[in-house]
Amino acid sequence: MTVLIVGAGPAGAYLSILLAKNGMKSILIDRLDDPFNNAYSSAALPISTIDKYSFIKDSVSSYWNNWKITGPDTLEHNFSSDLPLGVVLNFGKFRNDLWCRAKTLGVTLLLGWTVKEINSCNQFTEVILMDKDKISHSHRFNLVVDATGTNRSLINRYNSNENSYYKGSGVEYLIEVDKELYNKWSNHLSFFIGSNWVKYGYGWIFPMSNLRLKVGVCRLPPQNQAFKSSNLIDLSRLIELNNINRYSLINIHGGLVSSTLKREETHFCKRIVGIGDCVSTANLLGGEGIRHALCSAEILADVLLSYFNESKFNNIEDFSKLNIYVKRLRREFGWRWIIANRIGRKTWNSISDNQSDYKIKKLINLLSNKDGNALNELLFDYKFEKFLFKLVPYFIGLK
């Protein structure tokens, strides 16, 4: 059996690698022909992810051991550790490494290709692919994987849940600065929270190698609320307020955030199954999704190899076994995931005025006696126990 995987981001590319290692053929396509194009991802990961996925080490751009959170009052709050808390990836290099690994294992990688048309029926899915020279190619597949991220460009053709998604947008500069300015931001993940920084969102400055910084903003405004503002204006103000007045602009990239609170969207329909951001593996609390996308690839690969490797999918009812994939994903992410999503929605939806800024300052002060490891557990592992009951009123909306 040959699987078509549409989208060669972390989820799609890693899935192709896992399938190839176990003898299942796949064709991996992506609309990009250069892994370094639109490499939009803050790409900050906890150190535990590097321990779990050792191949990521080759793409590490910098290590960090301190959280720096600047609130509405412009006061800095540091949460540090003696040991590295995490890394910032060179996302373009990470994507390139995944593509190279896939090709080495025999995956057919078609770059600059897109899906022109797809028709799924009981016996097969017919897909018309368009190459980068605009030539069409017709193929039949037993299974198609939608790894197109928040576009959900395949699975939503059959089952759209557009109104259930919480949507946001972001933009990021990759800049080069002098050594003195770079040293100010090295070893930190720096966040800026408050309506004076970004309404309905937050800003960040992350260090990379070679005197480069990732500077970005992201916002998640309330649903169905008209809100007009420019991410680029907010980003320029963030740079100005932090006195980053000497830099070379290397790249500008941006993207959308789109997720459901409980990951209740359709995971598979007919002969199409979603993976990664397509099934809301990016959590709203920090918009962080790389390691969760890799996890979803592992689960789907295991299900396909366990149940479908020898099947020719002659019967559409065979696909009911993909319910196992859905159940395992929900078990993996669990109740903590839902709470973190609710906290993210509540926090970013509310940052708009002095009253919300007061609550943010209060929340940061409640966290101020914790170290960097505790903040990692809260923001990456969604473990809220160490913060006891003093944060519960905020989490459930009473404050």
Side-chain angles (χ1 to χ4, degrees):
M1 171 178 106
T2 301
V3 177
L4 174 65
I5 304 172
V6 182
Y14 190 45
L15 175 63
S16 73
I17 291 170
L18 295 173
L19 295 181
K21 284 183 175 180
N22 289 277
M24 186 179 285
K25 294 181 180 180
S26 65
I27 296 176
L28 178 65
I29 75 168
D30 199 278
R31 61 183 177 81
L32 298 176
D33 58 7
D34 184 340
F36 294 93
N37 282 348
N38 197 31
Y40 177 68
S41 173
S42 58
L45 299 172
I47 200 69
S48 58
T49 303
I50 305 301
D51 296 334
K52 181 177 181 180
Y53 303 105
S54 59
F55 63 88
I56 294 181
K57 286 183 179 179
D58 295 336
S59 306
V60 170
S61 186
S62 68
Y63 288 81
W64 50 273
N65 60 1
N66 184 65
W67 293 85
K68 181 188 292 184
I69 299 178
T70 303
D73 50 10
T74 70
L75 294 178
E76 294 181 357
H77 301 261
N78 290 280
F79 308 85
S80 61
S81 169
D82 294 332
L83 299 174
L85 291 170
V87 301
V88 177
L89 298 185
N90 180 327
F91 188 75
K93 187 176 187 309
F94 177 54
R95 188 159 53 188
N96 183 65
D97 287 350
L98 288 173
W99 292 3
C100 290
R101 287 174 181 270
K103 287 192 292 185
T104 299
L105 290 167
V107 175
T108 301
L109 179 60
L110 304 176
L111 300 178
W113 287 52
T114 57
V115 173
K116 182 179 179 181
E117 188 176 339
I118 183 168
N119 295 293
S120 188
C121 64
N122 286 339
Q123 289 74 35
F124 54 83
T125 295
E126 185 168 6
V127 183
I128 299 177
L129 301 175
M130 181 178 290
D131 65 25
K132 54 186 174 183
D133 295 320
K134 307 301 182 184
I135 299 173
S136 297
H137 307 261
S138 181
H139 297 271
R140 289 182 176 181
F141 298 95
N142 292 107
L143 179 68
V144 177
V145 176
D146 188 345
T148 61
T150 56
N151 289 329
R152 301 172 174 93
S153 60
L154 302 184
I155 203 165
N156 272 4
R157 297 188 188 195
Y158 289 96
N159 198 334
S160 177
N161 297 279
E162 195 69 21
N163 293 330
S164 64
Y165 297 122
Y166 289 87
K167 300 178 181 180
S169 63
V171 64
E172 184 177 70
Y173 283 177
L174 177 63
I175 64 175
E176 186 174 321
V177 297
D178 60 39
K179 188 172 183 180
E180 180 182 0
L181 193 54
Y182 177 81
N183 288 339
K184 178 181 177 181
W185 303 103
S186 64
N187 301 320
H188 306 291
L189 283 192
S190 300
F191 289 92
F192 304 85
I193 307 175
S195 63
N196 57 318
W197 296 110
V198 181
K199 282 191 175 182
Y200 303 120
Y202 58 95
W204 66 84
I205 299 177
F206 294 170
M208 294 185 71
S209 57
N210 301 320
L211 303 181
R212 293 184 174 184
L213 302 174
K214 297 162 73 79
V215 187
V217 299
C218 180
R219 65 163 48 88
L220 188 78
Q223 283 187 305
N224 304 319
Q225 177 173 321
F227 175 70
K228 292 184 178 180
S229 183
S230 168
N231 286 336
L232 285 173
I233 291 175
D234 287 342
L235 182 53
S236 297
R237 187 170 66 252
L238 179 69
I239 290 173
E240 180 182 351
L241 291 176
N242 281 287
N243 298 314
I244 303 176
N245 45 25
R246 305 180 308 277
Y247 67 88
S248 298
L249 181 60
I250 307 299
N251 197 0
I252 304 174
H253 38 251
L256 300 176
V257 177
S258 175
S259 184
T260 57
L261 281 181
K262 299 180 181 179
R263 301 189 51 263
E264 66 268 29
E265 67 264 66
T266 300
H267 284 53
F268 66 95
C269 182
K270 299 202 174 184
R271 292 176 177 269
I272 305 170
V273 57
I275 192 176
D277 286 356
C278 181
V279 290
S280 297
T281 57
N283 196 276
L284 295 175
L285 183 58
E288 182 239 352
I290 292 177
R291 62 196 176 104
H292 305 312
L294 298 177
C295 177
S296 71
E298 287 180 320
I299 294 174
L300 181 57
D302 187 58
V303 170
L304 294 180
L305 293 165
S306 297
Y307 294 94
F308 298 131
N309 202 7
E310 301 301 324
S311 172
K312 294 184 179 180
F313 294 110
N314 290 329
N315 194 329
I316 193 67
E317 278 125 18
D318 287 342
F319 281 86
S320 64
K321 295 175 182 176
L322 285 172
N323 280 316
I324 299 168
Y325 164 60
V326 179
K327 290 177 181 178
R328 286 185 56 181
L329 272 180
R330 287 175 179 162
R331 186 164 61 246
E332 174 68 26
F333 292 110
W335 61 270
R336 295 178 185 278
W337 180 270
I338 296 173
I339 291 178
N341 257 352
R342 290 189 181 279
I343 294 171
R345 182 188 63 168
K346 169 184 168 54
T347 301
W348 312 131
N349 279 187
S350 65
I351 298 178
S352 60
D353 52 27
N354 290 335
Q355 183 178 5
S356 63
D357 286 346
Y358 171 77
K359 292 181 179 180
I360 289 295
K361 287 190 289 184
K362 190 173 182 180
L363 176 60
I364 295 174
N365 288 332
L366 288 172
L367 301 176
S368 61
N369 64 335
K370 302 296 182 181
D371 63 10
N373 292 295
L375 215 60
N376 259 34
E377 289 185 353
L378 175 64
L379 297 177
F380 283 127
D381 299 327
Y382 317 127
K383 292 182 178 179
F384 313 105
E385 293 87 340
K386 284 190 176 181
F387 299 90
L388 300 177
F389 295 105
K390 60 184 180 180
L391 293 181
V392 170
Y394 177 83
F395 289 166
I396 64 176
L398 297 179
K399 286 188 178 181

